[in-house]
Amino acid sequence: MNLSDIFPKESISKKFNSEISIQERGRKNLNEIANLKTGCMVEIGGGAWDRYVQQNPSCDPRALGSFFDDGSPKLYLAMERLTGLKVLKDILYTTAHVIDESLEDTLCAELLLAVTWPNVLRISDVTFINPYGPIPETERQYHYQDYKGLGLFPELLENCEKFCSENDIPEITLSAAYIDLVPFFESYGFMVEDTPAGRAYLELEAGIPMHKVLKNA
Ligand SMILES: CC(C)(COP(=O)(O)OP(=O)(O)OC[C@H]1O[C@@H](n2cnc3c(N)ncnc32)[C@H](O)[C@@H]1OP(=O)(O)O)[C@@H](O)C(=O)NCCC(=O)NCCS
């Protein structure tokens, strides 16, 4: 199993009568990913750096400060140069669009996955939405709930866990985009990271680092 097998392509296709167009961008398209998903790339590098600082208390936690301040997608690369560690081991950004010209927005699914130092699978961005089901602003219960979902997070997580089991990866991480997503991810076994960054972002109520340690790790 590789990263490409995690995206639930068939289940997404079954949700719609129209055809679905799927695009994958991998390591070879890293510049494109960095342009399209700059914030996620910062988060990938930042998550790994935060973990490194926890494990190496004598290092200078501000050593990569300028990359954080600039919101640089090359943060992971700076960490690789500084530590000699391979920070970004694999990456795949997948998008799915419904082919229907009558739709204004055709995106129905998006997933940015990365395998990063020390040995974690990071769900850097995930979206499953039904572009035929916009939710009127007055009816939205949560932030970032512009469209009805597809009910596919459980399948995604199952695929992630299978990938981790086959590749000896003991942990899945993600950042809850907003605080009201925390109970949602907790219901699938994720916990807010018990670190200074975890506590700080929890207070900010956005970008909250969460992780799930896998049972058979
Ligand atoms: C979060 C998400 C990926 C889950 O995918 P899904 O399982 O296909 O989506 P569903 O809508 O079926 O979600 C399942 C549950 O999460 C809830 N939920 C959806 N968006 C939520 C949000 N922003 N905050 C809290 N809960 C949310 C749904 O109400 C639903 O609960 P219910 O079963 O009790 O009705 C999808 O809702 C989504 O793409 N949301 C918008 C983008 C987003 O917030 N991504 C997460 C970034 S960390």
Side-chain angles (χ1 to χ4, degrees):
M1 191 175 186
N2 55 46
L3 282 184
S4 173
D5 301 315
I6 294 177
F7 193 74
K9 301 181 188 77
E10 276 181 30
S11 299
I12 293 168
S13 293
K14 282 185 194 152
K15 298 277 173 188
F16 301 99
N17 293 325
S18 306
E19 255 187 78
I20 303 296
S21 147
I22 291 180
Q23 187 172 10
E24 289 187 338
R25 297 171 179 90
R27 262 210 100 92
K28 284 186 202 146
N29 318 97
L30 207 44
N31 284 342
E32 208 186 337
I33 298 176
N35 283 332
L36 292 169
K37 307 296 293 181
T38 311
C40 290
M41 290 301 294
V42 179
E43 204 186 87
I44 287 170
W49 177 246
D50 186 44
R51 192 65 68 95
Y52 182 81
V53 170
Q54 296 305 311
Q55 291 188 14
N56 297 275
S58 61
C59 79
D60 173 10
R62 291 286 303 158
L64 301 177
S66 63
F67 290 86
F68 279 99
D69 295 345
D70 296 347
S72 169
K74 293 190 175 163
L75 179 56
Y76 82 91
L77 206 53
M79 179 177 161
E80 289 191 348
R81 288 196 188 121
L82 185 77
T83 62
L85 297 165
K86 183 86 184 147
V87 176
L88 187 65
K89 298 176 186 184
D90 204 358
I91 188 162
L92 186 68
Y93 177 46
T94 311
T95 52
H97 289 263
V98 180
I99 303 175
D100 181 346
E101 283 178 6
S102 73
L103 282 172
E104 206 170 301
D105 289 319
T106 55
L107 181 82
C108 61
E110 170 175 42
L111 182 66
L112 178 54
L113 293 169
V115 179
T116 68
W117 184 88
N119 188 22
V120 303
L121 175 64
R122 184 166 192 93
I123 302 175
S124 189
D125 204 0
V126 52
T127 301
F128 290 129
I129 51 175
N130 182 348
Y132 296 97
I135 302 178
E137 227 163 294
T138 50
E139 288 171 30
R140 286 178 203 162
Q141 280 176 284
Y142 311 109
H143 268 68
Y144 305 117
Q145 203 191 16
D146 305 350
Y147 291 92
K148 287 183 181 151
L150 300 179
L152 288 179
F153 190 77
E155 182 176 339
L156 170 71
L157 186 58
E158 200 180 304
N159 293 349
C160 286
E161 291 188 10
K162 198 166 168 223
F163 172 85
C164 287
S165 158
E166 286 183 17
N167 292 279
D168 288 324
I169 296 174
E171 189 178 345
I172 303 173
T173 61
L174 54 79
S175 282
Y178 194 70
I179 189 130
D180 54 14
L181 278 158
V182 167
F184 172 72
F185 291 123
E186 279 177 343
S187 72
Y188 290 99
F190 286 85
M191 292 188 311
V192 174
E193 292 195 19
D194 187 18
T195 59
R199 289 185 285 277
Y201 283 101
L202 195 58
E203 207 157 294
L204 286 174
E205 302 196 340
I208 302 146
M210 299 185 76
H211 69 149
K212 179 171 184 172
V213 177
L214 303 173
K215 279 200 189 86
N216 299 325

